[in-house]
Protein backbone atom coordinates (compact mmCIF):
# COMPACT_ATOMS: atom_id res chain seq x y z
CA UNK A 1 0.00 0.00 0.00
CA UNK A 2 1.15 3.54 -0.77
CA UNK A 3 2.67 5.21 2.31
CA UNK A 4 4.64 8.43 2.75
CA UNK A 5 7.86 8.98 4.74
CA UNK A 6 5.91 8.90 8.02
CA UNK A 7 3.89 5.84 7.00
CA UNK A 8 0.76 7.88 6.26
CA UNK A 9 -1.57 6.48 3.57
CA UNK A 10 -3.38 8.60 0.96
CA UNK A 11 -7.11 8.61 1.66
CA UNK A 12 -8.54 12.08 1.18
CA UNK A 13 -8.34 14.42 -1.83
CA UNK A 14 -9.37 18.09 -1.66
CA UNK A 15 -10.01 19.58 -5.04
CA UNK A 16 -10.05 23.32 -5.56
CA UNK A 17 -12.29 23.89 -8.56
CA UNK A 18 -11.64 27.63 -8.74
CA UNK A 19 -9.48 30.23 -7.00
CA UNK A 20 -12.20 32.88 -7.45
CA UNK A 21 -14.45 33.86 -4.57
CA UNK A 22 -17.48 36.10 -4.18
CA UNK A 23 -16.51 36.85 -0.54
CA UNK A 24 -13.45 38.46 0.95
CA UNK A 25 -13.29 36.90 4.41
CA UNK A 26 -10.82 38.88 6.46
CA UNK A 27 -9.03 35.76 7.75
CA UNK A 28 -8.68 34.16 4.31
CA UNK A 29 -8.69 36.59 1.42
CA UNK A 30 -8.55 40.13 2.75
CA UNK A 31 -7.59 41.91 -0.48
CA UNK A 32 -9.90 42.81 -3.37
CA UNK A 33 -7.56 41.66 -6.10
CA UNK A 34 -5.13 38.78 -6.42
CA UNK A 35 -3.16 37.36 -9.30
CA UNK A 36 -5.87 35.01 -10.53
CA UNK A 37 -5.15 31.77 -12.29
CA UNK A 38 -5.57 32.20 -16.05
CA UNK A 39 -8.78 30.44 -17.14
CA UNK A 40 -6.92 28.31 -19.69
CA UNK A 41 -4.81 26.91 -16.87
CA UNK A 42 -7.82 25.72 -14.88
CA UNK A 43 -8.39 21.98 -15.10
CA UNK A 44 -11.44 20.86 -17.05
CA UNK A 45 -13.97 18.53 -15.42
CA UNK A 46 -12.64 15.70 -17.60
CA UNK A 47 -9.11 16.33 -16.36
CA UNK A 48 -10.26 16.49 -12.73
CA UNK A 49 -12.28 13.29 -13.05
CA UNK A 50 -9.41 11.45 -14.71
CA UNK A 51 -7.05 12.47 -11.91
CA UNK A 52 -9.63 11.64 -9.23
CA UNK A 53 -10.03 8.14 -10.70
CA UNK A 54 -6.25 7.64 -10.56
CA UNK A 55 -6.14 8.92 -6.97
CA UNK A 56 -8.87 6.45 -6.01
CA UNK A 57 -6.69 3.71 -7.46
CA UNK A 58 -4.00 4.78 -4.98
CA UNK A 59 -6.28 4.64 -1.93
CA UNK A 60 -8.36 7.84 -1.94
CA UNK A 61 -11.84 7.20 -0.53
CA UNK A 62 -13.14 10.71 -0.09
CA UNK A 63 -13.12 13.81 -2.27
CA UNK A 64 -13.98 17.31 -1.08
CA UNK A 65 -14.75 20.06 -3.59
CA UNK A 66 -13.61 23.44 -2.37
CA UNK A 67 -11.84 26.60 -3.51
CA UNK A 68 -12.12 29.68 -3.62
CA UNK A 69 -15.86 29.35 -3.78
CA UNK A 70 -16.67 26.09 -5.59
CA UNK A 71 -20.22 27.11 -6.52
CA UNK A 72 -18.80 29.91 -8.68
CA UNK A 73 -17.55 27.22 -11.06
CA UNK A 74 -20.15 26.88 -13.79
CA UNK A 75 -22.07 23.58 -13.84
CA UNK A 76 -20.14 22.14 -10.91
CA UNK A 77 -23.01 19.64 -10.56
CA UNK A 78 -21.67 17.97 -13.72
CA UNK A 79 -18.39 17.38 -11.96
CA UNK A 80 -20.25 15.93 -8.98
CA UNK A 81 -22.07 13.56 -11.35
CA UNK A 82 -18.81 12.47 -12.98
CA UNK A 83 -17.16 11.90 -9.61
CA UNK A 84 -20.21 9.97 -8.39
CA UNK A 85 -19.59 7.37 -11.03
CA UNK A 86 -16.04 6.59 -9.86
CA UNK A 87 -15.98 3.07 -8.39
CA UNK A 88 -14.39 2.94 -4.93
CA UNK A 89 -14.98 6.60 -4.10
CA UNK A 90 -17.02 6.46 -0.90
CA UNK A 91 -17.76 10.14 -0.25
CA UNK A 92 -18.09 13.36 -2.21
CA UNK A 93 -18.28 16.45 -0.01
CA UNK A 94 -18.54 20.16 -0.69
CA UNK A 95 -17.29 23.11 1.37
CA UNK A 96 -19.07 26.32 0.40
CA UNK A 97 -19.76 29.78 1.73
CA UNK A 98 -23.40 29.05 0.84
CA UNK A 99 -24.12 32.30 -1.02
CA UNK A 100 -25.16 30.41 -4.18
CA UNK A 101 -26.37 27.23 -2.51
CA UNK A 102 -30.14 27.86 -2.58
CA UNK A 103 -30.17 28.15 -6.36
CA UNK A 104 -27.89 25.14 -6.97
CA UNK A 105 -28.85 22.66 -4.29
CA UNK A 106 -31.42 20.75 -6.34
CA UNK A 107 -29.06 20.09 -9.25
CA UNK A 108 -26.22 19.25 -6.86
CA UNK A 109 -28.38 16.78 -4.95
CA UNK A 110 -29.64 15.26 -8.22
CA UNK A 111 -26.01 14.80 -9.25
CA UNK A 112 -25.35 12.75 -6.10
CA UNK A 113 -24.02 15.25 -3.54
CA UNK A 114 -25.02 14.42 0.05
CA UNK A 115 -22.47 16.00 2.35
CA UNK A 116 -22.06 19.75 2.61
CA UNK A 117 -20.13 22.04 4.95
CA UNK A 118 -21.40 25.61 4.93
CA UNK A 119 -19.15 28.27 6.43
CA UNK A 120 -21.00 30.56 8.86
CA UNK A 121 -18.93 32.42 11.46
CA UNK A 122 -21.71 34.44 13.06
CA UNK A 123 -25.51 34.66 13.06
CA UNK A 124 -25.43 38.45 13.27
CA UNK A 125 -26.11 39.69 9.69
CA UNK A 126 -24.08 42.89 10.09
CA UNK A 127 -21.11 41.11 11.59
CA UNK A 128 -21.41 38.43 8.89
CA UNK A 129 -21.13 41.19 6.31
CA UNK A 130 -18.11 42.69 8.06
CA UNK A 131 -16.31 39.35 8.32
CA UNK A 132 -16.99 38.26 4.74
CA UNK A 133 -16.99 41.82 3.34
CA UNK A 134 -19.55 40.78 0.69
CA UNK A 135 -21.78 38.10 2.18
CA UNK A 136 -25.52 38.04 2.76
CA UNK A 137 -26.35 35.83 5.76
CA UNK A 138 -30.01 35.50 4.73
CA UNK A 139 -29.08 33.97 1.41
CA UNK A 140 -26.67 31.57 3.08
CA UNK A 141 -29.29 30.42 5.59
CA UNK A 142 -31.78 29.95 2.77
CA UNK A 143 -29.28 27.63 1.07
CA UNK A 144 -28.60 25.73 4.27
CA UNK A 145 -32.29 25.13 4.98
CA UNK A 146 -32.95 24.22 1.35
CA UNK A 147 -30.32 21.48 1.72
CA UNK A 148 -32.00 20.32 4.91
CA UNK A 149 -35.43 20.27 3.24
CA UNK A 150 -34.01 17.99 0.54
CA UNK A 151 -32.90 15.58 3.24
CA UNK A 152 -29.16 16.03 2.67
CA UNK A 153 -26.88 15.19 5.53
CA UNK A 154 -24.92 15.30 7.63
CA UNK A 155 -24.99 19.09 7.17
CA UNK A 156 -22.10 20.76 8.91
CA UNK A 157 -21.43 24.41 9.68
CA UNK A 158 -17.79 25.56 9.69
CA UNK A 159 -16.96 28.53 11.91
CA UNK A 160 -13.50 30.07 12.23
CA UNK A 161 -13.26 31.72 15.63
CA UNK A 162 -11.21 34.88 16.07
CA UNK A 163 -10.78 36.42 19.51
CA UNK A 164 -12.43 39.82 19.82
CA UNK A 165 -14.25 39.29 16.52
CA UNK A 166 -16.68 36.37 16.87
CA UNK A 167 -15.75 34.41 20.00
CA UNK A 168 -19.03 35.66 21.47
CA UNK A 169 -20.79 33.79 18.65
CA UNK A 170 -19.69 30.34 19.81
CA UNK A 171 -22.70 29.70 22.06
CA UNK A 172 -25.32 31.21 19.69
CA UNK A 173 -23.93 29.01 16.88
CA UNK A 174 -24.13 25.94 19.13
CA UNK A 175 -27.73 26.79 20.10
CA UNK A 176 -28.67 27.30 16.45
CA UNK A 177 -27.11 24.04 15.30
CA UNK A 178 -28.68 22.06 18.15
CA UNK A 179 -32.09 23.53 17.40
CA UNK A 180 -31.95 22.69 13.69
CA UNK A 181 -29.94 19.46 13.67
CA UNK A 182 -26.74 20.79 12.08
CA UNK A 183 -23.26 19.79 13.26
CA UNK A 184 -20.94 22.66 14.16
CA UNK A 185 -17.26 22.48 13.24
CA UNK A 186 -15.30 25.11 15.14
CA UNK A 187 -11.95 25.87 13.52
CA UNK A 188 -8.95 27.50 15.17
CA UNK A 189 -7.89 30.60 13.29
CA UNK A 190 -4.82 29.54 11.26
CA UNK A 191 -1.97 31.32 9.53
CA UNK A 192 -2.98 30.13 6.06
CA UNK A 193 -1.56 31.98 3.07
CA UNK A 194 0.51 35.13 3.43
CA UNK A 195 -2.01 37.91 3.69
CA UNK A 196 -4.23 37.35 6.72
CA UNK A 197 -1.93 39.01 9.29
CA UNK A 198 -2.26 36.09 11.67
CA UNK A 199 -1.14 36.60 15.25
CA UNK A 200 -1.49 33.87 17.86
CA UNK A 201 -3.28 36.25 20.28
CA UNK A 202 -6.30 36.34 17.95
CA UNK A 203 -6.62 32.57 17.97
CA UNK A 204 -9.04 30.89 20.39
CA UNK A 205 -7.72 27.42 21.18
CA UNK A 206 -9.87 24.35 20.65
CA UNK A 207 -9.52 23.64 24.37
CA UNK A 208 -10.95 27.04 25.29
CA UNK A 209 -13.82 26.63 22.82
CA UNK A 210 -14.70 23.24 24.31
CA UNK A 211 -14.52 24.59 27.86
CA UNK A 212 -16.89 27.41 26.98
CA UNK A 213 -19.37 25.09 25.25
CA UNK A 214 -19.10 22.42 27.94
CA UNK A 215 -19.96 24.98 30.63
CA UNK A 216 -23.29 25.59 28.90
CA UNK A 217 -23.96 22.24 27.22
CA UNK A 218 -21.99 19.37 28.81
CA UNK A 219 -20.00 17.32 26.29
CA UNK A 220 -18.22 13.99 25.98
CA UNK A 221 -15.28 13.47 23.60
CA UNK A 222 -15.61 10.80 20.91
CA UNK A 223 -12.14 11.37 19.42
CA UNK A 224 -11.36 11.56 15.72
CA UNK A 225 -13.27 9.57 13.11
CA UNK A 226 -10.88 6.76 12.00
CA UNK A 227 -8.27 8.35 14.27
CA UNK A 228 -7.19 10.61 11.39
CA UNK A 229 -9.95 13.21 10.80
CA UNK A 230 -8.98 16.86 11.35
CA UNK A 231 -11.88 17.33 13.79
CA UNK A 232 -12.11 15.87 17.27
CA UNK A 233 -15.80 15.07 17.75
CA UNK A 234 -17.83 15.67 20.90
CA UNK A 235 -21.39 14.69 21.68
CA UNK A 236 -23.79 16.55 23.94
CA UNK A 237 -24.60 14.54 27.05
CA UNK A 238 -28.28 15.42 26.67
CA UNK A 239 -28.40 13.79 23.22
CA UNK A 240 -28.61 17.15 21.42
CA UNK A 241 -26.26 16.11 18.62
CA UNK A 242 -22.54 16.56 18.15
CA UNK A 243 -19.90 19.15 17.38
CA UNK A 244 -16.31 19.02 16.21
CA UNK A 245 -13.24 21.12 16.86
CA UNK A 246 -10.38 21.50 14.40
CA UNK A 247 -7.39 22.61 16.44
CA UNK A 248 -4.58 22.44 13.93
CA UNK A 249 -2.53 25.13 15.69
CA UNK A 250 -2.65 23.96 19.30
CA UNK A 251 -3.21 20.22 18.75
CA UNK A 252 -1.67 19.42 15.37
CA UNK A 253 -2.74 16.22 13.68
CA UNK A 254 0.05 15.92 11.09
CA UNK A 255 0.79 12.39 12.33
CA UNK A 256 -2.47 11.09 10.86
CA UNK A 257 -2.74 13.44 7.88
CA UNK A 258 -3.79 11.46 4.82
CA UNK A 259 -4.90 14.43 2.71
CA UNK A 260 -3.65 15.57 -0.68
CA UNK A 261 -4.79 18.74 -2.42
CA UNK A 262 -5.28 19.47 -6.07
CA UNK A 263 -5.18 23.14 -7.04
CA UNK A 264 -7.50 24.57 -9.67
CA UNK A 265 -4.55 24.72 -12.07
CA UNK A 266 -3.60 21.12 -11.50
CA UNK A 267 -0.86 21.17 -8.90
CA UNK A 268 -0.64 18.39 -6.37
CA UNK A 269 0.02 19.89 -2.93
CA UNK A 270 0.86 17.67 0.02
CA UNK A 271 0.21 20.09 2.91
CA UNK A 272 -2.11 23.05 3.60
CA UNK A 273 0.99 25.08 4.44
CA UNK A 274 3.13 24.10 1.44
CA UNK A 275 5.03 26.72 -0.52
CA UNK A 276 4.72 24.91 -3.85
CA UNK A 277 3.01 22.06 -5.65
CA UNK A 278 3.80 19.34 -8.18
CA UNK A 279 2.65 20.06 -11.70
CA UNK A 280 0.10 17.47 -12.86
CA UNK A 281 -1.50 19.64 -15.52
CA UNK A 282 1.58 19.64 -17.78
CA UNK A 283 1.76 15.90 -17.48
CA UNK A 284 -1.95 15.55 -18.35
CA UNK A 285 -1.75 17.95 -21.26
CA UNK A 286 1.43 16.43 -22.67
CA UNK A 287 -0.54 13.28 -23.35
CA UNK A 288 0.84 11.15 -20.52
CA UNK A 289 -0.76 7.76 -20.04
CA UNK A 290 -2.39 6.63 -16.79
CA UNK A 291 0.64 4.54 -15.78
CA UNK A 292 2.96 7.51 -16.14
CA UNK A 293 0.69 9.74 -14.07
CA UNK A 294 0.26 7.05 -11.41
CA UNK A 295 4.02 6.65 -11.18
CA UNK A 296 4.38 10.40 -10.67
CA UNK A 297 1.68 10.48 -7.96
CA UNK A 298 3.34 7.56 -6.16
CA UNK A 299 6.75 9.17 -6.28
CA UNK A 300 5.40 12.42 -4.78
CA UNK A 301 3.55 10.62 -1.99
CA UNK A 302 6.51 8.33 -1.15
CA UNK A 303 8.69 11.37 -0.61
CA UNK A 304 6.09 13.35 1.37
CA UNK A 305 7.48 14.48 4.72
CA UNK A 306 5.28 17.49 5.63
CA UNK A 307 4.51 18.14 9.30
CA UNK A 308 4.10 21.90 9.23
CA UNK A 309 1.60 22.28 12.08
CA UNK A 310 3.78 20.23 14.43
CA UNK A 311 6.78 22.37 13.53
CA UNK A 312 4.71 25.53 14.07
CA UNK A 313 3.72 24.35 17.54
CA UNK A 314 7.35 23.59 18.36
CA UNK A 315 8.26 27.12 17.21
CA UNK A 316 5.37 28.70 19.14
CA UNK A 317 6.67 26.98 22.29
CA UNK A 318 10.31 27.95 21.65
CA UNK A 319 12.03 31.04 23.13
CA UNK A 320 12.25 32.62 19.61
CA UNK A 321 8.52 32.11 18.98
CA UNK A 322 6.90 31.52 15.59
CA UNK A 323 7.28 33.98 12.70
CA UNK A 324 4.53 33.23 10.12
CA UNK A 325 6.17 35.46 7.51
CA UNK A 326 9.40 33.47 7.48
CA UNK A 327 7.65 30.77 5.50
CA UNK A 328 5.93 31.63 2.22
CA UNK A 329 2.81 29.58 1.62
CA UNK A 330 0.39 29.02 -1.21
CA UNK A 331 -2.78 31.07 -0.63
CA UNK A 332 -5.71 29.05 0.72
CA UNK A 333 -7.95 30.19 -2.15
CA UNK A 334 -5.49 28.58 -4.56
CA UNK A 335 -4.96 25.27 -2.84
CA UNK A 336 -8.42 24.75 -1.40
CA UNK A 337 -9.34 24.83 2.28
C1 LIG B 1 -10.93 28.36 2.02
S1 LIG B 1 -12.64 28.00 2.30
C2 LIG B 1 -13.14 27.43 0.69
C3 LIG B 1 -14.58 27.02 0.58
C4 LIG B 1 -15.62 28.11 0.69
N1 LIG B 1 -15.29 29.30 0.02
C5 LIG B 1 -15.96 28.37 2.14
O1 LIG B 1 -15.66 29.43 2.64
O2 LIG B 1 -16.51 27.47 2.77
C6 LIG B 1 -12.66 26.49 3.23
C7 LIG B 1 -12.70 26.65 4.73
O3 LIG B 1 -11.50 27.24 5.17
C8 LIG B 1 -11.77 28.07 6.27
N2 LIG B 1 -10.71 29.06 6.46
C9 LIG B 1 -10.36 30.06 5.63
N3 LIG B 1 -9.35 30.79 6.17
C10 LIG B 1 -9.07 30.23 7.37
C11 LIG B 1 -8.14 30.54 8.42
N4 LIG B 1 -7.30 31.57 8.33
N5 LIG B 1 -8.11 29.76 9.50
C12 LIG B 1 -8.97 28.70 9.61
N6 LIG B 1 -9.86 28.35 8.66
C13 LIG B 1 -9.91 29.12 7.56
C14 LIG B 1 -13.09 28.70 5.86
O4 LIG B 1 -13.78 29.21 6.96
C15 LIG B 1 -13.82 27.55 5.23
O5 LIG B 1 -14.61 26.87 6.18
S1 LIG C 1 -13.16 31.45 3.42
FE1 LIG C 1 -14.20 30.78 1.58
S2 LIG C 1 -15.72 32.39 1.28
FE2 LIG C 1 -14.24 33.24 2.61
S3 LIG C 1 -12.79 34.33 1.28
FE3 LIG C 1 -11.97 32.27 1.71
S4 LIG C 1 -12.63 31.08 -0.01
FE4 LIG C 1 -13.94 32.92 0.04
Amino acid sequence: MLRDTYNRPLRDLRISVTDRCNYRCTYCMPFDEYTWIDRREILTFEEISRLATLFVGLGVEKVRLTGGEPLLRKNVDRLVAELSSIKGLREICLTTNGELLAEQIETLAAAGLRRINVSIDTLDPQKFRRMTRRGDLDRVLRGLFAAKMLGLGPLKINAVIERGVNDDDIIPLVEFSREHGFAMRFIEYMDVGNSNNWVSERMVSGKEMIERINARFPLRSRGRVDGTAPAVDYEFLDGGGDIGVIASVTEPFCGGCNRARLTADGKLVTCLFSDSGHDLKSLLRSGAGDDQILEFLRSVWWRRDDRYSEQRLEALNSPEGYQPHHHRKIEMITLGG
Side-chain angles (χ1 to χ4, degrees):
M1 193 206 289
L2 184 59
R3 299 270 177 175
D4 73 3
T5 316
Y6 294 114
N7 206 27
R8 298 170 293 191
L10 171 57
R11 290 276 178 269
D12 190 336
L13 178 65
R14 308 217 165 177
I15 303 176
S16 172
V17 293
T18 177
D19 60 337
R20 271 65 168 182
C21 190
N22 42 2
Y23 285 10
R24 288 293 181 276
C25 300
T26 47
Y27 50 70
C28 173
M29 196 184 187
F31 305 134
D32 284 328
E33 283 303 322
Y34 288 79
T35 308
W36 306 109
I37 299 172
D38 187 293
R39 287 184 196 277
R40 283 165 306 187
E41 305 301 321
I42 298 220
L43 293 189
T44 63
F45 290 163
E46 291 69 33
E47 289 171 329
I48 295 176
S49 301
R50 179 173 175 210
L51 285 177
T53 307
L54 296 176
F55 273 103
V56 169
L58 294 177
V60 163
E61 297 173 337
K62 175 175 161 186
V63 161
R64 178 173 298 279
L65 300 180
T66 179
E69 173 45 41
L71 298 189
L72 282 179
R73 178 86 186 248
K74 222 168 146 215
N75 302 324
V76 75
D77 58 293
R78 286 198 206 145
L79 176 61
V80 171
E82 283 187 35
L83 295 174
S84 299
S85 68
I86 298 178
K87 274 235 284 297
L89 184 57
R90 283 202 292 133
E91 280 180 31
I92 303 169
C93 315
L94 171 79
T95 302
T96 172
N97 62 28
E99 182 86 13
L100 303 173
L101 190 57
E103 55 227 58
Q104 296 189 28
I105 189 64
E106 285 192 20
T107 47
L108 287 167
L113 186 72
R114 289 289 165 274
R115 292 165 172 264
I116 306 184
N117 288 43
V118 182
S119 300
I120 303 176
D121 304 319
T122 174
L123 293 165
D124 170 342
Q126 271 94 42
K127 195 196 283 191
F128 186 83
R129 185 75 172 186
R130 279 200 303 280
M131 289 187 75
T132 59
R133 292 195 38 235
R134 300 185 181 180
D136 178 343
L137 180 62
D138 248 19
R139 279 179 70 119
V140 175
L141 292 179
R142 249 181 282 140
L144 180 67
F145 283 104
K148 184 179 172 189
M149 289 284 285
L150 284 176
L152 270 68
L155 287 169
K156 297 182 182 172
I157 299 178
N158 287 7
V160 177
I161 301 299
E162 243 185 292
R163 193 178 301 287
V165 177
N166 66 335
D167 50 330
D168 54 345
D169 289 288
I170 295 176
I171 298 298
L173 283 165
V174 170
E175 286 169 341
F176 174 80
S177 58
R178 279 169 56 93
E179 183 185 342
H180 298 288
F182 303 125
M184 282 304 309
R185 287 288 171 274
F186 288 105
I187 307 175
E188 282 182 357
Y189 172 44
M190 297 183 284
D191 61 315
V192 293
N194 308 292
S195 47
N196 74 354
N197 285 323
W198 184 86
V199 283
S200 60
E201 292 73 25
R202 292 232 301 275
M203 182 199 60
V204 180
S205 70
K207 182 166 177 281
E208 180 180 337
M209 295 191 227
I210 287 302
E211 280 167 5
R212 288 206 209 176
I213 300 165
N214 186 55
R216 178 84 172 73
F217 300 106
L219 293 164
R220 176 193 306 127
S221 171
R222 284 204 316 233
R224 296 180 197 277
V225 175
D226 299 334
T228 60
V232 175
D233 290 335
Y234 294 81
E235 61 190 359
F236 294 109
L237 293 187
D238 66 1
D242 60 84
I243 60 162
V245 170
I246 301 175
S248 82
V249 181
T250 62
E251 294 166 50
F253 36 85
C254 302
C257 181
N258 51 24
R259 281 166 287 287
R261 289 160 200 277
L262 181 62
T263 65
D265 59 348
K267 296 204 176 71
L268 168 60
V269 179
T270 53
C271 174
L272 181 55
F273 300 95
S274 293
D275 59 357
S276 61
H278 305 266
D279 185 10
L280 292 176
K281 176 173 55 48
S282 301
L283 201 57
L284 278 174
R285 294 189 182 172
S286 68
D290 287 354
D291 285 349
Q292 205 180 335
I293 298 174
L294 279 169
E295 200 40 50
F296 183 77
L297 298 179
R298 276 195 207 97
S299 71
V300 171
W301 197 260
W302 270 327
R303 284 182 280 126
R304 176 182 189 247
D305 62 358
D306 309 272
R307 47 182 294 275
Y308 188 83
S309 294
E310 289 178 353
Q311 289 162 335
R312 175 181 47 212
L313 186 62
E314 286 158 17
L316 278 166
N317 291 332
S318 73
E320 299 78 36
Y322 170 63
Q323 310 298 332
H325 299 296
H326 286 181
H327 178 91
R328 224 183 142 69
K329 310 175 208 94
I330 307 178
E331 291 298 332
M332 195 158 183
I333 46 165
T334 308
L335 54 75

